[in-house]
Amino acid sequence: MSLKAPNTWLAPRSIGMGIALIALLAPAQEASKDATFKTTTSEVIVPVTVTDQKGRFLEDLDKEDFRIFDNGKEQTIEYFSRERNQPVVVGFLLDLSNASKTQWKDYQSAAVDLVDTLLPGDKKFAGYLIGYTTQADLMVNTTSDSEKIVSKIRSVKPGGGAALYDALYQACTNRALVNGEPIEPRSVIVIIGDGHDNASQHTLDEVLELAQRKLVTIYGVSTSSYGFGNDADDDVLVKMALATGGKVEYPLQNVYRDIAGYLQVPTDGGNYAYDLGTGGYATAKFNSIARAIAHITGEVTTQYILRYVPDIPADSKVRRDIRVEVNLPNLSVRARRYYYPFSTDRTTTSSR
């Protein structure tokens, strides 16, 4: 295998420019109405991200460069892909709680740009929107029309509690499925929020196990600002991402470090809203959010896809660990850490 120079996702000067750099994704199959689909982990799908020491995506590895282990036993890789046009269904989970008010305009714009980037107009590519306050609401069911989701995002305003876990539960159980999930197309969820939950009926462990059963990869764009974050909430996003092979971006953390007087005067928005001390902070914040969008989109579009059929009892319900290795030095490998090997039925009751 010849190791080529890795591609670098450069920070765009604006979100619009960042979008122009993202390759279009190709097709997922359209969801059918009122259909029952059976998802089974007899075949396990493992999206894998490989980066070098500078965090740049490495895209030219071959099947022979990978090894995958199921509960410590090496598996035969039955399917391998490094194509950038892999079908994906993206769930956008948007935090509409009171905590989002301070930076709402910024994250509203970020959410719109993420949708426009990841739903490039192909009618066979799908996404959906779930907003959560005191309750989780399926605002736009699975669709290939990005404008439906964008219009909804632009019309909503934050206020109320935070039912993040219920939103994740809905994403896994109560929306129109796309035929073939989660193998092809694979399932991705992007949470735009701070990880806080104070209103859900479901627990973190419950919904994280459910997400693993559905072979979902979870990403986060944290809305926590410097000085106002909560370590416990951040840990929630990180726990979800690490377990499923995703990652979390923190665009408002350390934005201030090179900007003098970044926060100075409280505004009418309350104790947690400030006038900017310098115009430089506004620019730095904008660019940081643009980078976060580019990074998340890069993650979704540059992953390797490995699939294998584990040798396990048909009725096994015990969680099984996954480990992926790359036979090259000084590279970071990220993939889901475990899965649940049993089938689940899910009926869709929503039409598109």
Side-chain angles (χ1 to χ4, degrees), residues 4-265:
K4 301 176 184 177
N7 282 358
T8 304
W9 279 90
L10 298 177
R13 297 179 63 87
S14 69
I15 291 178
M17 290 178 64
I19 292 172
L21 296 176
I22 307 301
L24 296 183
L25 297 179
Q29 301 175 46
E30 217 150 21
S32 60
K33 298 180 181 179
D34 303 324
T36 299
F37 299 107
K38 190 174 186 180
T39 58
T40 176
T41 54
S42 59
E43 183 179 35
V44 182
I45 179 173
V46 187
V48 181
T49 301
V50 183
T51 56
D52 66 9
Q53 291 179 307
K54 294 184 178 181
R56 298 173 297 188
F57 297 108
L58 210 64
E59 303 177 53
D60 61 351
L61 300 181
D62 298 318
K63 177 180 177 180
E64 293 72 23
D65 296 315
F66 290 87
R67 301 176 70 191
I68 190 164
F69 299 83
D70 186 304
N71 266 11
K73 182 179 179 180
E74 187 166 5
Q75 304 294 307
T76 299
I77 300 173
E78 304 286 350
Y79 172 90
F80 171 87
S81 176
R82 61 184 178 192
E83 299 300 319
R84 294 177 60 90
N85 61 352
Q86 301 151 5
V88 183
V89 177
V90 185
F92 301 94
L93 273 55
L94 186 59
D95 184 352
L96 299 174
S97 68
N98 283 320
S100 298
K101 286 184 175 180
T102 304
Q103 305 289 345
W104 173 243
K105 290 297 182 182
D106 294 313
Y107 279 98
Q108 187 181 41
S109 297
V112 166
D113 285 325
L114 269 171
V115 173
D116 281 338
T117 303
L118 293 174
L119 296 183
D122 191 320
K123 292 184 178 180
K124 295 182 180 179
F125 190 75
Y128 57 93
L129 173 67
I130 296 177
Y132 62 92
T133 57
T134 306
Q135 294 181 326
D137 179 21
L138 179 60
M139 294 181 164
V140 181
N141 212 333
T142 313
T143 179
S144 58
D145 185 354
S146 62
E147 187 55 36
K148 291 181 180 179
I149 299 178
V150 167
S151 296
K152 192 64 176 180
I153 292 173
R154 286 175 172 158
S155 70
V156 296
K157 294 183 179 179
L164 169 59
Y165 306 152
D166 286 355
L168 184 55
Y169 184 88
Q170 270 205 32
C172 293
T173 62
N174 186 33
R175 62 172 179 83
L177 276 178
V178 175
N179 191 20
E181 286 187 62
I183 303 300
E184 188 173 338
R186 58 195 173 101
S187 298
V188 168
I189 288 175
V190 181
I191 299 171
I192 304 174
D194 62 6
H196 182 61
D197 188 296
N198 60 9
S200 286
Q201 297 181 18
H202 300 282
T203 66
L204 173 59
D205 288 342
E206 178 185 359
V207 296
L208 187 52
E209 179 176 331
L210 181 60
Q212 286 287 35
R213 290 176 182 173
K214 304 298 183 181
L215 298 179
V216 174
T217 304
I218 300 175
Y219 296 93
V221 179
S222 175
T223 57
S224 294
S225 302
Y226 173 80
F228 307 123
N230 183 306
D231 290 341
D233 296 337
D234 288 340
D235 287 346
V236 166
L237 291 178
V238 171
K239 184 176 182 179
M240 289 179 174
L242 287 179
T244 61
K247 69 174 297 187
V248 182
E249 291 287 329
Y250 296 91
L252 295 189
Q253 300 290 323
N254 297 323
V255 175
Y256 69 92
R257 60 188 174 188
D258 297 321
I259 309 296
Y262 76 107
L263 294 179
Q264 291 188 351
V265 184

